Amino acid sequence: MAAGIDTRFTDWASLFPRCPSLAATIFRRGRSGKLCIWPASISIRDGEVIAGTAGAGRTIDEGYAAARDCALIQLAVLKTHLGSLDKVKNIVTVNGYVNAVAGFPDSPKVINGASDLFVEVFGDAGRHARTAIGVPALPRNALVELQMTVEV
């Protein structure tokens, strides 16, 4: 039998940020049956917002890393609220928003940072339907914002 996610990724515990406090009057998750809808998280590393605009001072690679950081935050929230990542049956959807200049064509390449991490962690269960769009602004001038729906 294959080791569970929590067992395989015990060394990742140091990578998981603390479960962030809420910045707005929202619930940590909505739930309908086996689906949990997790609110968006912005790109934060070491307690600091990863800010900026793709195509104007921020590169695709920096955006990719910021999207991966958003995904790590989402995993930390999942683990905190579910008790174990092994309870995740499937990543259903990921909605990624990139703070970008008008006409920026590479939002999908940026959001691949999150998608690649979910597949790395969950295997085929990490494959998901996805939206990756450029927007003119995000909260706190964050480079990336990520929202997801998971099946438990």
Side-chain angles (χ1 to χ4, degrees):
M1 175 183 244
I5 293 166
D6 288 338
T7 303
R8 288 187 293 125
F9 292 98
T10 53
D11 58 321
W12 282 41
S14 63
L15 292 178
F16 286 163
R18 285 186 175 205
C19 188
S21 60
L22 297 174
T25 307
I26 57 171
F27 294 105
R28 285 238 185 253
R29 64 173 160 60
R31 186 163 183 169
S32 179
K34 295 180 180 182
L35 293 180
C36 290
I37 298 92
W38 297 93
S41 62
I42 60 172
S43 48
I44 296 175
R45 184 181 305 129
D46 299 327
E48 298 292 323
V49 175
I50 303 166
T53 305
R58 288 296 193 160
T59 66
I60 294 168
D61 288 342
E62 288 171 318
Y64 181 98
R68 189 172 175 93
D69 287 328
C70 281
L72 285 169
I73 291 169
Q74 293 286 25
L75 292 177
V77 171
L78 282 168
K79 187 161 175 46
T80 297
H81 288 280
L82 298 176
S84 170
L85 292 177
D86 292 324
K87 292 181 180 178
V88 174
K89 302 294 182 218
N90 188 36
I91 304 295
V92 179
T93 63
V94 171
N95 297 314
Y97 307 94
V98 180
N99 187 354
V101 297
F104 181 73
D106 293 316
S107 294
K109 290 179 183 176
V110 169
I111 302 304
N112 281 346
S115 295
D116 291 349
L117 180 67
F118 292 140
V119 172
E120 185 179 338
V121 172
F122 297 105
D124 283 339
R127 297 187 188 284
H128 49 270
R130 187 181 84 181
T131 300
I133 60 172
V135 297
L138 288 172
R140 299 174 63 192
N141 197 35
L143 181 55
V144 175
E145 186 171 22
L146 194 72
Q147 184 274 330
M148 64 191 282
T149 302
V150 300
E151 178 186 6
V152 294

